[in-house]
Amino acid sequence: MRTKTLKKNKINVITLGCSKNVYDSEVLMGQLKANGKEVVHEEEGNIVVINTCGFINNAKEESVNTILDFMQKKEAGEVDKVFVTGCLSERYKPDLQKEIPNVDAYFGTTELPGLLKALGADYKHELIGERLTTTPKNYAYLKIAEGCDRPCSFCAIPLMRGKHKSTPIEALVIEAEKLAANGVKELILIAQDLTYYGLDIYKKRNLAELLENLVKVEGIEWIRLHYAFPTGFPLDVLDVMNREPKVCNYLDIPLQHISDNILKSMRRGTTKEKTTKLIGQFREAVPNMTIRTTLIVGYPGETEENFQELKQWVQDMRFERLGCFTYSHEENTHAFNLEDDVPQEVKTDRANQIMEIQSQISWELNQQKVGQELKVVIDRKEGNYFVGRTEFDSPDVDNEVRIDATKTYLKTAEFVTVKITEAEDFDLYGEVI
């Protein structure tokens, strides 16, 4: 009879939360593979690593439930070991150790070497850019900085990720070259705050110079910008966007609110007037730019008047892409000292109202695309459709272009020109030219 010790370990990495966590899981998996370990992402494995999110209540609940699910599997003998890492573990490690003690070990966001050691692997410093990507082969996230120095009252990210720390341009170019060599065509630049990039190591906001270096990487066709901060945005980035066809005319810039007293309480360092002017500058500099933003409703002290002002502003600004969250009262944040005085049902209703307005705006903007010819990258096949995106759309959160697979054969990661024949609120339909 084979004993348990002869069984070859297979490490299953589970990723919860945002694109930064996806990136961290890919780095972990790259390290494990370089150590000769068998590693899979969200498949079957006898050793489980859960990379958790601790950002807002829903994410925390999902992380805790996932840990508990795997604890049951461990007790049933379906898995041998369970390790927990990521933001929830960074933020609540003592509480988690007390409440769920049978997890084999908890690790924070900066404890990768320790986690690797627990998995019987060594941390290899020489592995710049060596990752096992878990996204479709045509795109990958490129994390250009870690942490955040902003004092936003509602946000717990600095508690979990620490101070802003930029990655040098040379290291990012090497990583981009390795991704391109593996077939990646689109880089999605991520950080807690892209706007701040370079201030710590170059003593200036250096996102434009980074972009100028990344566009030289052969094989990369699109570079997309995610998570800029409105205060101190380096406007020279817009010049690069205009000049370099590889830099998508797209910017994800979470604005959170527009009422001056809410912005002040949120410690955003800006005003309605400055924010509106900035969006105007974006659109003047890059006329066909798509702007994605996110908003928070139900923040402490948000009155009906504040909300109506936000609603009107959303109607006036006509953002191409927009998401809306309900406020989550997070301990150890500055806003936790305020009374969470907007009832949950009011928060939910306000978020629904904003998204209803946005749905109409999106439908109207999409109708204008009917008859246009757009460059589209194919992400996947789904039923009878090939599903792709334009440069104006990010994976998972934005519009998709659907092409009838019974009429045309396409390959994943292929770029094609599509004539748009039909448009809905959040989807376009088209034919390959």
Side-chain angles (χ1 to χ4, degrees):
M1 195 176 103
R2 289 180 66 202
T3 62
K4 198 171 182 182
T5 51
L6 291 176
K7 185 170 71 176
K8 183 162 168 41
N9 288 327
K10 188 193 279 189
I11 301 165
N12 176 20
V13 178
I14 308 285
T15 307
L16 304 169
C18 68
S19 53
K20 274 84 80 180
N21 266 17
V22 171
Y23 182 94
D24 292 346
S25 288
E26 291 174 350
V27 170
L28 167 65
M29 291 167 69
Q31 288 275 348
L32 289 168
K33 190 183 178 193
N35 275 273
K37 301 289 181 184
E38 189 178 357
V39 58
V40 293
H41 189 247
E42 299 182 356
E43 294 175 26
E44 292 293 313
N46 65 310
I47 294 175
V48 178
V49 179
I50 306 169
N51 189 0
T52 58
C53 178
F55 184 45
I56 55 176
N57 285 334
N58 291 351
K60 288 188 281 190
E61 276 176 34
E62 184 189 16
S63 292
V64 169
N65 289 339
T66 304
I67 297 168
L68 292 173
D69 284 348
F70 278 100
M71 284 298 94
Q72 285 182 332
K73 288 180 178 178
K74 186 183 173 187
E75 281 165 28
E78 293 170 39
V79 299
D80 296 332
K81 289 188 174 182
V82 177
F83 298 96
V84 174
T85 185
C87 290
L88 189 82
S89 190
E90 175 73 37
R91 195 173 170 193
Y92 297 110
K93 192 190 284 185
D95 297 338
L96 289 166
Q97 286 169 328
K98 192 171 145 194
E99 296 296 325
I100 317 177
N102 45 348
V103 164
D104 289 272
Y106 290 93
F107 297 91
T109 53
T110 58
E111 297 179 304
L112 178 59
L115 172 57
L116 287 166
K117 193 175 178 187
L119 294 165
D122 294 321
Y123 180 70
K124 297 186 182 292
H125 290 275
E126 67 276 15
L127 292 181
I128 294 181
E130 295 290 340
R131 288 154 50 196
L132 277 186
T133 53
T134 59
T135 48
K137 64 180 181 180
N138 51 297
Y139 70 84
Y141 296 108
L142 184 66
K143 185 157 69 168
I144 69 169
E146 183 57 275
C148 187
D149 287 359
R150 305 289 186 176
C152 303
S153 65
F154 52 83
C155 185
I157 283 172
L159 300 172
M160 299 181 283
R161 293 281 178 174
K163 289 282 193 187
H164 180 97
K165 190 179 175 189
S166 302
T167 301
I169 288 173
E170 308 80 61
L172 292 169
V173 169
I174 290 169
E175 190 167 346
E177 287 169 346
K178 287 182 178 175
L179 290 167
N182 287 330
V184 168
K185 304 272 177 55
E186 177 182 2
L187 296 176
I188 302 174
L189 269 53
I190 56 170
Q192 265 72 41
D193 178 10
L194 288 183
T195 311
Y196 213 81
Y197 177 77
L199 266 177
D200 51 332
I201 51 178
Y202 302 115
K203 308 306 171 205
K204 62 172 182 169
R205 297 178 193 273
N206 220 20
L207 182 57
E209 191 181 331
L210 171 62
L211 290 172
E212 281 167 349
N213 280 272
L214 290 175
V215 296
K216 294 172 189 166
V217 176
E218 281 185 43
I220 297 299
E221 293 202 36
W222 282 353
I223 300 170
R224 188 179 300 284
L225 301 179
H226 265 237
Y227 320 125
F229 193 89
T231 311
F233 185 87
L235 294 172
D236 55 351
V237 167
L238 303 178
D239 299 332
V240 182
M241 197 177 273
N242 248 338
R243 192 172 66 244
E244 295 290 350
K246 285 187 180 184
V247 180
C248 295
N249 292 340
Y250 179 100
L251 181 67
D252 186 324
I253 182 163
L255 297 170
Q256 314 302 11
H257 214 281
I258 203 58
S259 183
D260 280 341
N261 61 324
I262 299 290
L263 288 171
K264 187 177 180 184
S265 181
M266 284 180 166
R267 304 166 89 191
R268 295 287 287 171
T270 190
T271 61
K272 180 179 184 178
E273 186 184 352
K274 285 179 184 171
T275 304
T276 306
K277 183 183 172 190
L278 181 67
I279 300 303
Q281 286 174 300
F282 288 167
R283 287 182 166 153
E284 192 178 336
V286 188
N288 65 338
M289 181 183 194
T290 284
I291 301 171
R292 158 168 275 282
T293 194
T294 42
L295 303 172
I296 295 172
V297 291
Y299 180 84
E302 183 188 59
T303 63
E304 183 61 29
E305 190 183 347
N306 296 146
F307 174 64
Q308 291 302 329
E309 182 181 9
L310 180 64
K311 251 175 81 172
Q312 186 59 51
W313 188 74
V314 168
Q315 282 176 323
D316 294 343
M317 298 308 290
R318 292 178 68 78
F319 289 103
E320 288 79 8
R321 311 281 181 262
L322 183 145
C324 190
F325 292 92
T326 56
Y327 170 76
S328 178
H329 207 45
E330 296 296 318
E331 56 266 286
N332 299 321
T333 61
H334 192 77
F336 196 67
N337 302 317
L338 306 173
E339 186 190 346
D340 187 11
D341 57 357
V342 180
Q344 187 56 47
E345 61 270 21
V346 175
K347 291 178 185 177
T348 304
D349 180 57
R350 287 177 180 176
N352 289 340
Q353 286 185 57
I354 294 286
M355 289 315 296
E356 212 169 290
I357 293 167
Q358 185 58 31
S359 177
Q360 180 64 25
I361 291 168
S362 183
W363 184 83
E364 289 167 10
L365 293 174
N366 279 350
Q367 296 311 306
Q368 295 169 16
K369 292 194 170 74
V370 174
Q372 287 185 19
E373 295 177 8
L374 300 172
K375 184 179 176 182
V376 170
V377 66
I378 304 303
D379 280 337
R380 65 187 188 281
K381 185 171 184 281
E382 199 174 86
N384 289 327
Y385 288 99
F386 287 105
V387 183
R389 290 174 293 112
T390 69
E391 72 169 290
F392 310 111
D393 297 290
S394 215
D396 301 327
V397 291
D398 289 332
N399 293 2
E400 292 179 327
V401 180
R402 293 176 177 267
I403 300 150
D404 191 339
T406 61
K407 296 179 182 172
T408 316
Y409 177 73
L410 298 169
K411 292 182 193 155
T412 303
E414 188 180 357
F415 281 87
V416 290
T417 302
V418 175
K419 185 172 183 177
I420 303 303
T421 55
E422 193 186 332
E424 296 176 351
D425 297 7
F426 299 109
D427 277 327
L428 302 171
Y429 294 82
E431 296 166 354
V432 175
I433 296 176

